[in-house]
Amino acid sequence: MGKLILRIKRDPHFFWLWRMLATPVAAFMFVQARFRLFTSQISVEGPGAGYCGPAVYVNWHQHVPFLCVHHGQCRRWLLMSSAPYLEPVALWCTWMGLTVIRGAPGERSGQFLPALLEPLRRGESVALAVDGPAGPPFQAKPGCIELARAAGVPLIPVACRSQKGRSNLKRWDQMYSVGSFDRIQVRYGVPIFLDPSEPDSTALARVQAGLGRVCSDPQCG
């Protein structure tokens, strides 16, 4: 089981309500996730799947629901907003095996570099939804580049798809959900090693292209 790390004071608006709902909602999500894992066939493929060192694993926010389960099985770290409505999700993520760092709504990702650098330098890995937390969708943000460059680790694109998977086109991120008794594929791209002299815009374009290659859902960018 993972753990929850609170770095800053959280927004108190309706916090008491979401804190009260956190355990029952997280329990429902946990049972649902475990049932899908138990009933589905899951394969992991791609050149980055066998990478052994610390890395920053990047995915679109669209694939967060199942990739939180997968990243949790791999005992990775995850950055998440401290927005009160995410209390149940943060608790669920820790139960799935992630170590969750709660940030603050609207704060720049660069402010969390020290907290995320520490596990990377210990040989652990971090997972980031690079177009989150509120978009625009399928456009990678530069925080992942800053983090990977500071830690001296590669970025590895990750995506998932399944036979029963569906995208919610009414959401900003077109969130993708897998089913029970499903065939689920987790796809890893080629590790992206950054050159210190490489412009950030070029590195970000490489991340964008890498995610495009591993993402086979037609709704992906």
Side-chain angles (χ1 to χ4, degrees):
M1 185 174 291
K3 59 183 177 179
L4 180 66
I5 298 176
L6 304 176
R7 298 189 59 247
I8 59 174
K9 184 177 180 180
R10 292 174 291 174
D11 182 351
H13 187 57
F14 289 126
F15 173 70
W16 63 270
L17 174 62
W18 290 108
R19 187 63 180 269
M20 182 176 66
L21 293 173
T23 298
V25 173
F28 174 79
M29 295 172 66
F30 180 81
V31 171
Q32 185 180 56
R34 296 299 300 177
F35 183 74
R36 286 178 175 170
L37 285 173
F38 181 75
T39 61
S40 299
Q41 296 182 27
I42 301 169
S43 61
V44 179
E45 58 186 46
Y51 186 77
C52 296
V56 177
Y57 291 90
V58 293
N59 54 266
W60 295 136
H61 201 273
Q62 179 186 50
H63 292 147
V64 160
F66 184 76
L67 286 184
C68 277
V69 176
H70 176 72
H71 290 316
Q73 290 180 309
C74 298
R75 298 297 188 267
R76 291 169 184 157
W77 287 60
L78 179 73
L79 175 65
M80 183 182 297
S81 166
S82 67
Y85 71 90
L86 289 175
E87 286 295 310
V89 179
L91 182 58
W92 170 70
C93 284
T94 64
W95 289 353
M96 297 308 301
L98 288 159
T99 296
V100 179
I101 295 181
R102 303 296 305 274
E107 290 211 55
R108 291 176 56 84
S109 58
Q111 293 176 272
F112 305 105
L113 284 178
L116 295 173
L117 277 171
E118 188 177 335
L120 286 167
R121 288 170 174 166
R122 290 200 306 264
E124 301 179 75
S125 292
V126 170
L128 295 177
V130 291
D131 56 345
F138 313 121
Q139 293 185 30
K141 296 179 181 178
C144 62
I145 299 295
E146 298 172 21
L147 178 60
R149 183 165 281 150
V153 301
L155 295 132
I156 302 180
V158 192
C160 67
R161 64 174 302 215
S162 77
Q163 284 188 340
K164 296 183 179 181
R166 295 291 182 272
S167 296
N168 183 353
L169 302 183
K170 295 181 180 180
R171 283 182 51 103
W172 72 266
D173 58 357
Q174 301 177 18
M175 185 167 281
Y176 187 84
S177 300
V178 302
S180 301
F181 302 96
D182 206 349
R183 291 179 181 269
I184 304 169
Q185 294 178 334
V186 180
R187 297 180 170 182
Y188 284 78
V190 176
I192 300 169
F193 292 89
L194 301 178
D195 188 322
S197 62
E198 181 180 20
D200 285 356
S201 58
T202 302
L204 204 57
R206 292 171 62 199
V207 172
Q208 189 87 20
L211 282 165
R213 284 190 289 270
V214 297
C215 181
S216 61
D217 190 305
Q219 298 300 330
C220 289

Coordinates of all heavy atoms in Angstrom, one line a residue, residues 130-162:
V130 N 0.6 14.7 -18.1 CA 1.2 15.9 -18.5 C 0.3 17.0 -19.2 O 0.8 18.1 -19.5 CB 2.4 15.5 -19.5 CG1 3.5 14.8 -18.8 CG2 1.8 14.7 -20.7
D131 N -1.0 16.7 -19.3 CA -1.9 17.7 -19.8 C -2.9 18.1 -18.6 O -3.8 18.8 -18.9 CB -2.7 17.3 -21.0 CG -3.4 16.0 -20.8 OD1 -3.1 15.2 -19.8 OD2 -4.3 15.6 -21.7
G132 N -2.6 17.6 -17.4 CA -3.5 17.9 -16.3 C -3.0 19.1 -15.5 O -1.9 19.6 -15.8
P133 N -3.8 19.5 -14.5 CA -5.1 18.9 -14.1 C -6.3 19.4 -14.8 O -7.4 18.9 -14.6 CB -5.1 19.3 -12.6 CG -4.5 20.6 -12.6 CD -3.4 20.5 -13.6
A134 N -6.1 20.4 -15.7 CA -7.4 21.0 -16.3 C -7.2 21.3 -17.8 O -7.9 22.1 -18.4 CB -7.8 22.2 -15.6
G135 N -6.2 20.7 -18.4 CA -6.0 20.9 -19.8 C -5.1 22.1 -20.2 O -4.5 22.7 -19.3
P136 N -5.1 22.5 -21.5 CA -5.9 21.9 -22.6 C -5.5 20.4 -22.8 O -4.3 20.0 -22.6 CB -5.5 22.7 -23.8 CG -4.2 23.4 -23.4 CD -4.2 23.5 -22.0
P137 N -6.5 19.6 -23.3 CA -6.2 18.2 -23.4 C -5.2 17.8 -24.5 O -5.1 18.5 -25.5 CB -7.6 17.6 -23.8 CG -8.3 18.7 -24.4 CD -7.8 20.0 -23.7
F138 N -4.4 16.8 -24.3 CA -3.5 16.3 -25.3 C -2.4 17.3 -25.7 O -1.9 17.3 -26.8 CB -4.2 15.7 -26.5 CG -5.4 14.8 -26.1 CD1 -6.7 15.1 -26.5 CD2 -5.2 13.7 -25.3 CE1 -7.7 14.4 -26.2 CE2 -6.3 12.9 -24.9 CZ -7.5 13.2 -25.4
Q139 N -2.1 18.2 -24.7 CA -1.0 19.1 -25.0 C 0.0 19.0 -23.8 O -0.4 19.4 -22.6 CB -1.5 20.5 -25.2 CG -2.3 20.7 -26.4 CD -2.7 22.2 -26.6 OE1 -2.0 23.1 -26.2 NE2 -3.8 22.4 -27.3
A140 N 1.1 18.5 -24.0 CA 2.1 18.3 -22.9 C 2.6 19.6 -22.3 O 2.9 20.5 -23.1 CB 3.2 17.4 -23.3
K141 N 2.7 19.7 -21.0 CA 3.2 20.9 -20.3 C 4.6 20.7 -19.9 O 5.1 19.5 -19.7 CB 2.3 21.1 -19.1 CG 0.9 21.5 -19.4 CD 0.0 21.7 -18.2 CE -1.4 22.1 -18.5 NZ -2.3 22.3 -17.4
P142 N 5.4 21.7 -19.7 CA 6.8 21.6 -19.6 C 7.3 21.1 -18.2 O 8.5 20.8 -18.1 CB 7.3 23.1 -19.8 CG 6.1 23.9 -19.4 CD 4.9 23.1 -19.8
G143 N 6.4 20.9 -17.2 CA 6.9 20.5 -15.9 C 7.6 19.1 -16.0 O 8.6 18.9 -15.2
C144 N 7.1 18.2 -16.8 CA 7.8 16.9 -16.9 C 9.2 17.0 -17.4 O 10.1 16.3 -17.0 CB 7.0 16.0 -17.8 SG 6.8 16.6 -19.6
I145 N 9.5 18.0 -18.3 CA 10.8 18.2 -18.9 C 11.7 18.7 -17.8 O 12.8 18.3 -17.6 CB 10.8 19.2 -20.0 CG1 9.9 18.7 -21.2 CG2 12.2 19.6 -20.5 CD1 10.4 17.5 -21.9
E146 N 11.2 19.7 -17.0 CA 12.0 20.3 -15.9 C 12.4 19.2 -14.9 O 13.5 19.2 -14.4 CB 11.2 21.4 -15.2 CG 10.8 22.6 -16.1 CD 9.8 23.5 -15.4 OE1 9.8 23.5 -14.1 OE2 9.1 24.3 -16.1
L147 N 11.4 18.3 -14.6 CA 11.7 17.3 -13.6 C 12.7 16.3 -14.1 O 13.6 15.9 -13.3 CB 10.3 16.6 -13.2 CG 10.4 15.5 -12.2 CD1 11.0 16.0 -10.8 CD2 9.0 14.9 -12.0
A148 N 12.5 15.8 -15.3 CA 13.4 14.7 -15.8 C 14.8 15.3 -16.0 O 15.8 14.6 -15.7 CB 12.8 14.2 -17.1
R149 N 14.9 16.5 -16.4 CA 16.2 17.1 -16.6 C 16.9 17.3 -15.3 O 18.1 17.0 -15.1 CB 16.1 18.4 -17.4 CG 17.4 19.1 -17.7 CD 17.2 20.2 -18.8 NE 17.1 19.6 -20.1 CZ 16.4 20.1 -21.1 NH1 15.7 21.2 -20.9 NH2 16.4 19.5 -22.3
A150 N 16.2 17.8 -14.3 CA 16.8 18.0 -13.0 C 17.3 16.7 -12.3 O 18.3 16.7 -11.6 CB 15.8 18.8 -12.1
A151 N 16.5 15.6 -12.5 CA 16.9 14.4 -11.9 C 17.8 13.5 -12.8 O 18.4 12.6 -12.3 CB 15.6 13.6 -11.7
G152 N 18.0 13.9 -14.0 CA 18.8 13.1 -14.9 C 18.3 11.8 -15.3 O 19.0 10.8 -15.4
V153 N 16.9 11.7 -15.4 CA 16.3 10.4 -15.8 C 15.5 10.6 -17.1 O 15.2 11.7 -17.5 CB 15.3 10.0 -14.6 CG1 16.1 9.8 -13.3 CG2 14.2 11.0 -14.4
P154 N 15.2 9.5 -17.7 CA 14.4 9.6 -19.0 C 12.9 9.8 -18.7 O 12.4 9.5 -17.6 CB 14.6 8.3 -19.6 CG 14.8 7.3 -18.5 CD 15.6 8.1 -17.4
L155 N 12.2 10.3 -19.7 CA 10.7 10.3 -19.7 C 10.3 9.1 -20.5 O 10.8 8.8 -21.6 CB 10.2 11.6 -20.4 CG 10.6 12.9 -19.6 CD1 11.1 13.9 -20.6 CD2 9.3 13.4 -18.9
I156 N 9.2 8.4 -20.0 CA 8.7 7.2 -20.8 C 7.2 7.4 -21.0 O 6.5 7.4 -20.0 CB 9.0 5.9 -20.0 CG1 10.5 5.8 -19.8 CG2 8.5 4.7 -20.7 CD1 10.9 4.5 -19.0
P157 N 6.8 7.5 -22.2 CA 5.3 7.6 -22.5 C 4.6 6.3 -22.2 O 5.1 5.2 -22.4 CB 5.3 8.0 -24.0 CG 6.7 8.4 -24.4 CD 7.6 7.6 -23.4
V158 N 3.4 6.5 -21.6 CA 2.5 5.3 -21.3 C 1.1 5.6 -21.7 O 0.6 6.7 -21.6 CB 2.6 5.0 -19.8 CG1 1.9 3.6 -19.5 CG2 4.0 5.0 -19.2
A159 N 0.4 4.6 -22.2 CA -1.0 4.7 -22.6 C -1.6 3.4 -22.3 O -1.0 2.4 -22.1 CB -1.2 5.2 -24.0
C160 N -3.0 3.4 -22.4 CA -3.7 2.1 -22.3 C -4.8 2.1 -23.2 O -5.4 3.1 -23.6 CB -4.1 1.8 -20.8 SG -5.4 3.0 -20.2
R161 N -5.3 0.9 -23.5 CA -6.5 0.7 -24.4 C -7.1 -0.7 -24.0 O -6.4 -1.5 -23.4 CB -6.1 0.7 -25.9 CG -5.2 -0.4 -26.3 CD -5.0 -0.5 -27.8 NE -6.3 -0.6 -28.5 CZ -6.4 -1.3 -29.7 NH1 -5.4 -1.9 -30.2 NH2 -7.5 -1.3 -30.3
S162 N -8.3 -0.9 -24.3 CA -8.9 -2.2 -24.0 C -10.1 -2.4 -25.0 O -10.6 -1.5 -25.7 CB -9.5 -2.2 -22.6 OG -10.7 -1.5 -22.5

